[in-house]
């Protein structure tokens, strides 16, 4: 048992992750062609605009549709549908927690591939300064609130004020870069347009194209650029500390060397500096477990499923991985 | 079975004998001189003879003090800090227990903090200079041209406030004392001044380990009642002084000898 | 003073150093039974370097004065870093010419050492990287410059928690890389730095193995030997040093199998912290171990802190490797020069717990303000955790050996009686 554990703890998590991401990408982007349908409550960006290929739908799309509900209908069967959709979402989320982001999300995978491309050219990555980071970190919560409130406001107009335009129905999807990028992987570039049919549609889709442009540049230079602003991540964050898969830290063993902070794509400083918390899944975390792999202190960080440790930082694992990667770089 | 403790200091050798109940049977103080080994053996044998005890009845002998490691006759050695703590704790029990021990020796002074069982919790030593040690008193007595034993009496004959002796160094204090004599201060006043100077230094040392209700005061200078009075004032605590303050450490070593023998022999 | 007289003085001091070194080596080897065969390499290393004349490295030598100086960069440029911190009393006295008498012995000794003809293995060393850590080190930089060396002042932030400190430090390190390129007439390459990181990583792994072996109860190796080994890292060829340590580790593991201990079972286990013991000033560690204790762990920059923390690289390109090296030398550092010492307290408590120590000995060199000041908070934290500690203020002179011995013996005795009480 101990030998199995030390073998697992010595594994190069990045390799494992590459294959899981590839498989998930395939299932969620092309699975539809193979009649795979994982439902509409997926806690990951499996874009609903991706025609027949999609293997399931990103929960944010149906959520925005369902939020277009009037007060009184909340108590009816539409309200129940909202509730069951949410509970299904939670059930999916509880199993993998934010590892949906790090291991499954095809949009995340695309960003990781862009990062690999950058590395191929030996170009330096770009990071936020701590000040900028702190200023921008709440954008995702703002987006989440807006995508919940706007459809709801549309269905419950305040008498005396005008109606919100219909084209704001799924406000987030209008500006989400995944809407343009994901269908492109099945050859569908129809989303790469500005819709001039109404004023609102024009503004929203132009905004979407702008965001796409920013995304393409940003994701090349910054690791997991979009994930910092992702409202799905914000939604996860509310339940991140109670799901089955957790990231735990034993503060006494931490030397605050910061190796985990260095490798973190999401620039989470607390992973290095917080030595009090036992569960350390922060709102930006995507549970990629790069931090666990980069920690040289025995048992300081570990991923647990229902309390059982499945991947733990070990001194031997750390040196083995460093040696291996150093040799690979030669 | 009898147990012995021998404290080989730089100026004096102290020997103590206890029985199996840790009762002090006898004690002796002798000068270390230049042949300490010979003098130590003589002191030990002399005490045994005086008490009518055969050498064979001595079950265990523990040595402590400066010269402990060179005294091959001993069965074990212990540092004087631990020995002093054990002895003071035992004697202090009769007074309701002591928490802090102050030992002023010929060349150094120590403050030891012990717990309720007599274990050393903390200690500080002033071993860098002679101020605050017995040497300071020697120098003072010499300059005042009185005997060391008379210092206590002179202290109590003073009426009024003593002059402050400010020197932090025993050597400079010498010139200060001569100056005060020339200025017309009485020997009584200067005596008291010296005692308070030492007491203040010692109080500073003791505060580093903490003072509670009762402080045990031992070492040769504890015989000086004037110094003791000054110390009680400066420490603001009850002072416990044994009858023969020089032998507390040897007594502690003897108790430890008994403990070690008991452990080894079940 | 004529050069003849100063030459004689210099030779005298070197002889004195050789004598001091020989005396300590003799004590280390003869006053403890059955030293491991693998220690032979290290005893000989010091014998050759301090008492005889050892061969020059053959590569350019860059002098360093602190563990925070990133030695990986120096190795990457095919040069050899040599830590100049000196432990000789004779040089301490010589250094009093430059520094006030009340200042730190270590800095004085280093200055005394640098102000004379360098030994063979440092021949030709002109460049010194001096870190601006504590006051005395910082000021020493200029003094070394005035002696004729080319000094690079590596700027160290006095606080390591903020992001701006990290940035400042990264710039300092990048600047140091530029300085080193000029000094060695080479360019820093990806391959060079990668190989250097690998070399140091291998040395660190060997040290961590030794560190783990020290946890054994009863102890299998004495602290005096470990300090000797880590002091060797200051100046020895890194590959040879690593091999010798790996061989020793192997032997120690065999000893554990065979049940051969270094110290008796009841020997009090000590954690040593504070001003670093630099050979030949192993005065306090030797007093502790000769009095019957065994040093099982330490938190000093001549041992544990120099070799423990590892470099974690994300992308093996020059920009990331240099930053990773920089981070490793700052973030986990528990030197008392920083504004907060919480990390040092935590490290000590974790070491005390995982090595099951009986007590802590805290050494501060007289004049070393930072260690003296931290004594209060560190002792309080240890006391709260129920770990007894002994604070010793000392310097390089042999005058206080008697008193130190008494104090250490009293401390060890109190640890023994504490253990006895716990057993009852």
């Amino acid at each position: 048992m101990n030998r199995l554990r030390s073998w697992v703890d010595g594994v190069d998590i990045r390799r494992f992750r590459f294959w899981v991401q590839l498989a998930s990408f395939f299932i969620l982007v092309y699975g539809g062609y193979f009649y795979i349908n994982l439902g509409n409550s997926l806690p990951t960006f499996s874009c609903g605009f991706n025609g027949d290929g999609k293997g399931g739908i990103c929960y944010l799309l149906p959520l925005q549709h369902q939020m277009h509900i009037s007060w009184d209908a909340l108590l009816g069967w539409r309200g129940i549908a909202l509730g069951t959709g949410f509970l299904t979402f939670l059930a999916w989320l509880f199993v993998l927690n934010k590892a949906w982001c790090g291991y499954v999300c095809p949009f995340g995978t695309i960003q990781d591939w862009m990062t690999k491309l950058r590395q191929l050219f030996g170009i330096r990555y770009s990071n936020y300064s701590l000040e900028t980071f702190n200023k921008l970190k709440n954008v995702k919560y703002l987006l989440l609130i807006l995508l919940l409130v706007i459809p709801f406001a549309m269905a419950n107009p305040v008498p005396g004020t005008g109606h919100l335009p219909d084209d704001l129905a799924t406000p987030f999807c209008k500006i989400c870069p995944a809407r343009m990028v994901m269908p492109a992987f099945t050859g569908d570039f129809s989303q790469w347009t500005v819709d001039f049919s109404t004023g609102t549609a024009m503004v929203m889709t132009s905004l979407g194209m702008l965001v796409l442009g920013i995304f393409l540049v940003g994701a090349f230079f910054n690791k997991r650029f979009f994930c910092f602003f992702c409202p799905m991540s914000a939604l996860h964050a509310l339940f991140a500390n109670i799901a089955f898969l957790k990231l735990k830290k034993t503060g006494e063993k931490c030397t605050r060397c910061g190796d985990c902070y260095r490798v973190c794509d999401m620039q989470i400083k607390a992973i290095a500096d917080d030595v009090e918390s036992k569960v350390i899944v922060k709102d930006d975390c995507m549970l990629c477990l790069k931090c666990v792999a980069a920690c040289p202190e025995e048992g300081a960080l570990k991923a647990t499923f229902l309390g059982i440790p499945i991947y733990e930082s070990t001194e031997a694992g750390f040196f083995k991985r460093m040696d291996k990667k150093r040799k690979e770089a030669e | 079975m009898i147990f012995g403790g021998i404290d080989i200091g730089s100026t004096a050798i102290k020997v103590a004998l206890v029985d199996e109940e840790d009762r002090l049977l006898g004690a002796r103080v002798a000068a270390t001189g230049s042949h300490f080994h010979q003098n130590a053996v003589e002191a030990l044998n002399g005490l045994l003879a005086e008490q009518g005890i055969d050498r064979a009845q001595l079950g265990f002998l523990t040595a402590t003090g400066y010269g402990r490691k060179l005294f091959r006759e001993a069965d074990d050695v212990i540092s004087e800090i631990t020995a002093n703590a054990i002895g003071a704790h035992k004697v202090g029990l009769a007074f309701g227990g002591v928490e802090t021990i102050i030992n002023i020796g010929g060349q150094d002074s120590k403050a030891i903090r012990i717990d309720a069982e007599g274990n050393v919790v903390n200690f500080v030593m002033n071993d860098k200079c002679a101020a605050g040690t017995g040497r300071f008193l020697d120098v003072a007595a010499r300059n005042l041209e009185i005997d060391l034993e008379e210092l206590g009496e002179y202290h109590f004959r003073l009426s009024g406030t003593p002059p402050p002796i400010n020197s932090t160094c025993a050597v400079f204090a010498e010139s200060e004392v001569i100056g005060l004599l020339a200025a017309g201060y009485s020997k009584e006043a200067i005596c008291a001044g010296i005692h308070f100077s030492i007491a203040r230094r010692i109080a500073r040392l003791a505060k580093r380990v903490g003072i509670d209700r009762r402080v045990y005061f031992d070492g040769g200078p504890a015989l000086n009642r004037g110094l003791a009075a000054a110390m009680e004032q400066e420490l603001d605590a009850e002072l416990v002084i044994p009858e023969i303050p020089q032998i507390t450490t040897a007594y502690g070593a003897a108790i430890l000898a008994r403990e070690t023998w008991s452990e080894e022999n079940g | 003073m004529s050069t003849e007289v100063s030459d004689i003085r210099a030779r005298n001091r070197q002889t004195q150093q050789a004598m001091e070194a020989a005396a300590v080596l003799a004590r280390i080897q003869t006053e403890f039974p059955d030293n491991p065969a693998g220690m032979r390499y290290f005893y000989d290393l010091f014998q050759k370097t301090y008492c005889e004349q050892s061969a020059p490295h053959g590569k350019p030598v860059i002098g360093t004065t602190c563990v925070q100086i990133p030695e990986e960069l120096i190795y990457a440029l095919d040069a050899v870093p040599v830590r100049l911190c000196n432990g000789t009393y004779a040089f301490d006295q010589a250094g009093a010419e430059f520094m006030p008498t009340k200042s730190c012995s270590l800095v004085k000794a280093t200055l005394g050492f640098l102000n004379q003809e360098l030994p063979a293995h440092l021949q030709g060393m002109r460049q010194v990287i001096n870190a601006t850590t504590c006051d005395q080190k910082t000021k020493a930089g200029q003094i070394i410059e005035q002696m004729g060396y080319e000094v690079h002042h590596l700027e160290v932030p006095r606080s390591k928690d903020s992001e701006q400190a990290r940035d400042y430090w990264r710039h300092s390190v990048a600047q140091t890389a530029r300085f080193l390129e000029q000094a060695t007439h080479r360019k820093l390459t990806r391959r060079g730095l990668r190989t250097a990181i690998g070399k140091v990583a291998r040395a660190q792994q060997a040290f961590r193995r030794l560190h783990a072996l020290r946890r054994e109860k009863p102890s299998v190796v004495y602290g005096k030997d470990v300090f000797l080994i880590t002091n060797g890292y200051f100046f020895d060829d890194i590959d040879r040093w690593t091999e010798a340590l790996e061989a020793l580790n192997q032997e120690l593991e065999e000893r554990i199998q065979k049940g051969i201990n270094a110290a008796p079972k009841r020997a009090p286990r000590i954690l040593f912290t504070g001003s670093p013991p630099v050979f030949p000033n192993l005065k306090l560690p030797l007093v502790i171990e000769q009095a019957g204790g065994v040093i099982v762990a330490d938190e000093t920059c001549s041992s544990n802190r120099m070799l423990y923390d590892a470099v974690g690289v994300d992308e093996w390109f020059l920009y990331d490797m240099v930053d990773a090296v920089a981070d490793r030398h700052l973030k986990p550092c528990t030197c008392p020069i920083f504004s907060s010492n919480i990390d040092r307290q935590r490290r000590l408590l974790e070491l005390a717990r995982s090595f099951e120590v009986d007590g802590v000995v805290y050494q501060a060199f007289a004049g070393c303000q930072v260690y003296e000041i931290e004594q209060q908070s560190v002792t309080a934290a240890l006391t709260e955790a129920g770990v007894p500690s002994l604070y010793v203020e000392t310097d390089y002179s042999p005058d206080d050996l008697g008193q130190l011995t008494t104090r250490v013996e009293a401390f060890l005795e109190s640890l023994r009686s504490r253990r006895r009480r716990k057993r009852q």
Side-chain angles (χ1 to χ4, degrees):
Chain A
M1 191 59 202
N2 269 333
R3 280 186 59 191
L4 177 66
R5 276 183 79 166
S6 51
W7 179 81
V8 168
D9 292 334
V11 143
D12 182 1
I13 197 84
R14 294 192 204 191
R15 186 129 295 169
F16 174 69
R17 196 166 153 231
F18 174 76
W19 290 109
V20 174
Q21 282 180 313
L22 193 60
S24 310
F25 188 85
F26 193 79
I27 292 172
L28 292 175
V29 177
Y30 303 109
Y33 298 131
F34 300 92
Y35 304 106
I36 297 176
N37 183 1
L38 296 173
N40 323 355
S41 297
L42 292 183
T44 182
F45 267 31
S46 173
C47 190
F49 289 84
N50 179 20
D52 294 324
K54 61 180 181 288
I57 301 183
C58 157
Y59 181 58
L60 290 181
L61 176 57
L63 178 63
Q64 286 167 91
H65 278 310
Q66 289 173 338
M67 283 306 288
H68 196 279
I69 185 174
S70 57
W71 278 109
D72 35 315
L74 265 178
L75 300 168
W77 69 268
R78 279 185 69 195
I80 294 172
L82 176 59
T84 49
F86 182 66
L87 288 173
T88 317
F89 164 79
L90 270 189
W92 280 117
L93 179 62
F94 266 37
V95 176
L96 285 182
N97 200 352
K98 282 171 137 296
W100 280 100
C101 304
Y103 284 79
V104 181
C105 181
F107 199 49
T109 306
I110 291 168
Q111 290 174 81
D112 287 340
W113 290 343
M114 288 170 80
T115 297
K116 281 212 174 48
L117 185 65
R118 170 184 59 76
Q119 285 174 352
L120 212 62
F121 292 117
I123 299 173
R124 188 195 187 121
Y125 56 78
S126 165
N127 263 350
Y128 297 113
S129 71
L130 197 61
E131 278 176 62
T132 316
F133 181 92
N134 285 331
K135 284 192 198 136
L136 295 176
K137 68 180 179 184
N138 289 322
V139 170
K140 55 181 168 298
Y141 290 104
L142 182 65
L143 290 174
L144 178 65
I145 290 169
L146 285 176
L147 74 83
L148 292 172
V149 164
I150 291 177
F152 193 70
M154 282 171 72
N156 298 285
V158 176
T161 61
H163 276 245
L164 283 167
D166 282 341
D167 281 311
L168 272 183
T170 51
F172 179 70
C173 293
K174 290 278 189 313
I175 59 167
C176 177
R179 172 173 64 86
M180 287 144 257
V181 171
M182 306 237 46
F185 277 83
T186 48
D188 177 4
F189 284 88
S190 64
Q191 301 290 330
W192 294 58
T193 55
V194 175
D195 181 357
F196 289 99
S197 56
T198 69
T200 313
M202 185 180 77
V203 168
M204 292 304 279
T205 50
S206 308
L207 210 51
M209 291 304 286
L210 179 65
V211 169
L212 175 68
I214 295 172
F215 166 77
L216 288 172
V217 174
F220 184 74
F221 288 105
N222 183 298
K223 296 182 269 189
R224 286 281 181 131
F225 173 74
F226 180 77
C227 303
F228 190 40
F229 305 106
C230 181
M232 179 68 86
S233 173
L235 191 53
H236 285 178
L238 304 173
F239 309 97
N241 283 331
I242 53 176
F244 299 160
L245 181 66
K246 290 196 177 95
L247 181 61
K248 290 200 181 143
K249 182 166 175 178
T250 311
E252 296 84 40
K253 305 213 174 150
C254 175
T255 56
R256 290 233 192 116
C257 72
D259 282 352
C260 51
Y261 178 35
R262 286 191 55 67
V263 303
C264 182
D265 289 352
M266 304 304 295
Q267 283 185 250
I268 299 171
K269 196 158 197 265
I271 188 77
D273 287 351
D274 181 346
V275 290
E276 305 292 326
S277 310
K278 293 273 177 304
V279 179
I280 199 151
V281 186
K282 295 290 162 192
D283 54 2
D284 290 310
C285 180
M286 47 161 177
L287 278 182
C288 64
L289 304 183
K290 274 174 84 176
C291 52
V292 179
C295 177
E297 300 306 316
E298 198 87 12
L301 285 170
K302 57 176 171 265
T304 63
F305 188 81
L306 287 173
I308 306 164
I310 52 174
Y311 190 55
E312 200 167 341
S313 60
T314 56
E315 190 180 288
F318 171 84
F319 281 107
K320 184 169 152 214
R321 284 185 284 265
M322 279 293 145
D323 280 341
K324 178 168 176 248
K325 280 203 264 295
R326 197 182 55 249
K327 294 205 176 85
E328 272 172 20
E330 269 162 33
Chain B
M1 188 72 34
I2 309 295
F3 307 95
I6 183 163
D7 176 7
I8 305 176
S10 50
T11 28
I13 297 171
K14 288 79 74 176
V15 197
L17 295 172
V18 300
D19 65 10
E20 284 168 31
E21 311 287 307
D22 291 341
R23 276 190 297 250
L24 183 67
L25 300 172
R28 174 176 280 221
V29 181
T32 304
S34 41
H35 302 285
F36 87 89
H37 190 261
Q38 196 177 314
N39 293 337
V41 172
E42 269 173 31
L44 175 64
N45 289 335
L47 181 59
L48 286 168
E50 184 191 303
Q51 297 292 321
I53 298 168
D54 204 51
R55 193 66 167 79
Q57 279 174 282
L58 189 63
F60 204 93
L61 178 67
T62 302
T64 183
Y66 175 71
R68 65 185 176 280
K69 290 196 185 137
L70 301 166
F71 191 62
R72 267 156 284 143
E73 278 70 8
D75 296 304
D76 197 10
V77 295
I78 191 87
S79 75
E80 54 267 38
I81 295 166
T82 307
N84 199 344
I86 296 172
H89 168 73
K90 181 80 181 179
V91 175
L93 283 175
F95 294 87
V98 296
E99 305 86 19
T100 309
I101 302 160
I102 292 175
N103 169 291
I104 302 183
Q107 292 181 352
D108 62 19
S109 38
K110 312 181 195 66
I112 307 171
R113 180 81 188 203
I114 56 174
D115 66 11
E117 276 100 50
N119 297 301
V120 175
V121 173
N122 197 2
F123 63 90
V124 286
M125 284 167 74
N126 163 35
D127 44 23
K128 286 195 163 54
C129 75
T133 70
R135 179 56 50 87
F136 202 65
L137 291 168
D138 289 344
V139 166
R142 198 177 58 234
N143 282 311
L144 293 172
E145 289 174 342
I146 59 180
D147 284 329
L148 200 57
E149 295 78 25
E150 294 176 291
L151 285 172
E153 285 172 48
Y154 271 73
H155 176 105
F156 290 111
R157 291 214 291 261
L158 171 72
S159 51
T161 16
I165 310 278
N166 289 320
S167 307
T168 50
C169 173
V171 175
F172 292 135
E174 216 175 323
S175 30
E176 198 170 347
V177 163
I178 293 168
L180 287 167
L181 277 172
Y185 281 93
S186 65
K187 289 185 183 180
E188 288 82 354
I190 296 171
C191 224
I194 287 166
H195 290 157
F196 276 103
S197 169
I198 296 175
R200 271 193 296 272
R201 286 191 70 87
I202 297 295
R204 269 205 301 275
L205 190 74
K207 286 198 176 106
R208 279 163 64 189
V209 297
I211 306 172
D212 217 325
R213 299 156 299 140
R214 241 169 265 111
V215 178
Y216 189 95
F217 180 27
D218 68 17
L223 288 166
N224 181 333
R225 290 174 303 120
L227 177 60
M231 279 197 32
E232 202 154 28
Q233 202 173 312
E234 290 296 321
L235 291 170
D236 194 24
E238 189 191 324
L239 219 55
V240 169
I241 303 173
E243 255 186 61
I244 322 173
Q246 310 97 302
I247 61 138
T248 306
T249 303
Y251 178 46
I255 294 175
L256 190 66
R258 197 270 307 150
E259 276 180 17
T260 316
W261 185 89
S262 302
E263 244 185 58
E264 287 182 2
N265 292 285
Chain C
M1 187 191 317
S2 70
T3 46
E4 247 182 60
V5 176
S6 58
D7 273 346
I8 294 171
R9 269 210 185 167
R11 266 202 300 282
N12 275 344
R13 291 202 195 103
Q14 278 162 350
T15 317
Q16 272 175 287
Q17 176 174 260
M19 277 163 48
E20 283 179 46
V24 173
L25 281 172
R27 273 177 82 189
I28 288 176
Q29 292 175 76
T30 61
E31 291 184 23
F32 294 86
D34 192 24
N35 291 311
M39 284 304 298
R40 180 86 264 139
Y41 172 84
F42 298 98
Y43 299 148
D44 287 344
L45 174 70
F46 279 89
Q47 176 74 20
K48 270 206 303 286
T49 312
Y50 278 76
C51 307
E52 300 155 19
Q53 284 286 349
S54 70
H57 281 278
K59 293 186 183 170
V61 172
I62 309 279
T64 67
T65 59
C66 175
V67 285
Q68 286 183 278
I69 289 151
E71 77 257 33
E72 288 91 346
L73 294 180
I74 301 176
Y75 283 121
L77 290 163
D78 210 22
V80 175
V82 173
R83 177 113 167 258
L84 299 171
C85 294
N86 191 282
T88 306
Y89 183 44
F91 286 130
D92 173 20
Q93 291 169 307
E97 199 178 312
F98 303 99
M99 298 278 274
T101 15
K102 286 199 194 141
S103 51
C104 160
S105 291
L106 196 154
V107 175
K108 279 193 283 180
T110 310
L111 290 174
F113 172 72
L114 286 172
N115 192 38
Q116 44 105 48
E117 193 187 316
L118 296 172
H121 70 285
L122 293 180
Q123 276 305 333
M125 179 189 84
R126 289 324 308 162
Q127 289 99 357
V128 175
I129 303 181
N130 186 53
T132 61
T133 48
C134 58
D135 286 351
Q136 312 199 37
K137 271 241 163 87
T138 307
K139 300 305 284 177
Q142 189 178 27
I143 300 175
I144 299 174
E145 231 166 18
Q146 282 159 355
M147 289 178 192
Y149 296 91
E150 192 192 334
V151 175
H152 173 73
H153 303 277
L154 171 61
E155 297 178 42
V156 181
R158 290 304 284 262
S159 167
K160 60 172 175 141
D161 301 310
S162 63
E163 203 61 15
Q164 68 251 28
R166 198 172 171 223
D167 266 336
Y168 175 55
W169 174 243
R170 281 176 171 184
H171 280 109
S172 288
V173 171
Q175 207 182 35
T176 306
R178 297 290 93 72
F179 167 80
L180 286 168
E181 282 180 328
Q182 273 171 13
T184 56
H185 310 294
R186 284 201 162 90
K187 262 212 93 40
L188 189 62
T189 62
R190 229 176 107 181
R191 164 171 302 158
L193 190 49
R194 223 174 27 223
T195 315
I197 291 176
K199 251 206 259 242
V200 175
R202 199 177 143 214
Q204 284 179 328
Q205 274 176 282
F207 173 77
R208 280 195 177 219
R209 185 78 201 109
L210 180 66
H211 180 79
L213 288 169
R214 291 172 95 184
R215 279 204 188 92
E216 283 296 313
K217 289 173 90 157
S219 312
V220 70
V221 66
Y222 271 112
K224 50 117 185 159
D225 282 335
V226 176
F227 277 125
L228 204 67
I229 295 168
T230 55
N231 268 264
Y233 186 78
F234 284 22
F235 57 84
D236 193 14
D237 173 278
I238 191 174
D239 297 314
R240 279 205 304 267
W241 184 91
T242 309
E243 265 171 46
L245 181 53
E246 284 168 354
L248 176 72
N249 286 338
Q250 179 73 14
E251 185 187 341
L252 291 177
E253 283 178 40
E254 285 164 16
R255 282 191 161 208
I256 294 174
Q257 294 298 334
K258 292 191 205 145
I260 304 175
N261 321 334
K265 216 164 72 147
R266 299 258 183 97
R269 294 165 68 88
I270 303 291
L271 167 59
F272 190 96
T273 178
S275 302
V278 176
F279 184 86
N281 179 39
L282 298 184
K283 179 172 70 172
L284 189 53
L286 280 170
V287 164
I288 293 169
E289 297 195 323
Q290 279 176 312
V294 57
I295 297 173
V296 295
D298 73 271
E299 189 267 329
T300 62
C301 60
S302 58
S303 181
N304 185 307
R305 287 203 345 244
M306 185 171 61
L307 286 161
Y308 188 76
D309 302 296
V311 174
V313 182
D314 189 25
E315 298 183 4
W316 291 85
F317 294 101
L318 214 52
Y319 56 81
D320 206 53
M321 285 194 279
V322 174
D323 278 350
V325 165
D327 272 347
R328 175 246 158 165
H329 284 275
L330 182 74
K331 280 211 69 148
C333 184
T334 50
C335 182
I337 59 155
F338 296 113
S339 54
S340 155
N341 78 343
I342 304 293
D343 281 344
R344 180 170 177 224
Q345 290 180 32
R346 287 178 50 246
R347 191 174 215 145
L348 285 169
L349 290 172
E350 181 58 19
L351 282 172
R353 192 198 59 79
S354 79
F355 280 76
E356 293 179 77
V357 305
D358 295 306
V360 172
V361 172
Y362 187 129
Q363 167 176 264
F365 289 147
C368 173
Q369 284 205 312
V370 283
Y371 269 121
E372 288 169 344
I373 293 174
E374 280 208 354
Q375 183 262 131
Q376 204 202 33
S377 58
V378 167
T379 306
L382 288 171
T383 309
E384 202 186 306
V387 182
S389 65
L390 174 71
Y391 175 59
V392 174
E393 211 182 276
T394 181
D395 58 15
Y396 281 14
S397 81
D399 301 338
D400 58 359
L401 202 54
Q403 291 120 358
L404 276 187
T405 310
T406 304
R407 297 188 66 202
V408 166
E409 283 179 2
F411 182 61
L412 293 177
E413 282 158 13
S414 72
L415 294 180
R416 280 205 169 93
S417 79
R418 227 169 161 255
R419 247 218 226 130
R420 233 193 344 258
R421 267 183 294 140
K422 271 207 200 120
R423 269 202 302 276
Q424 280 160 2

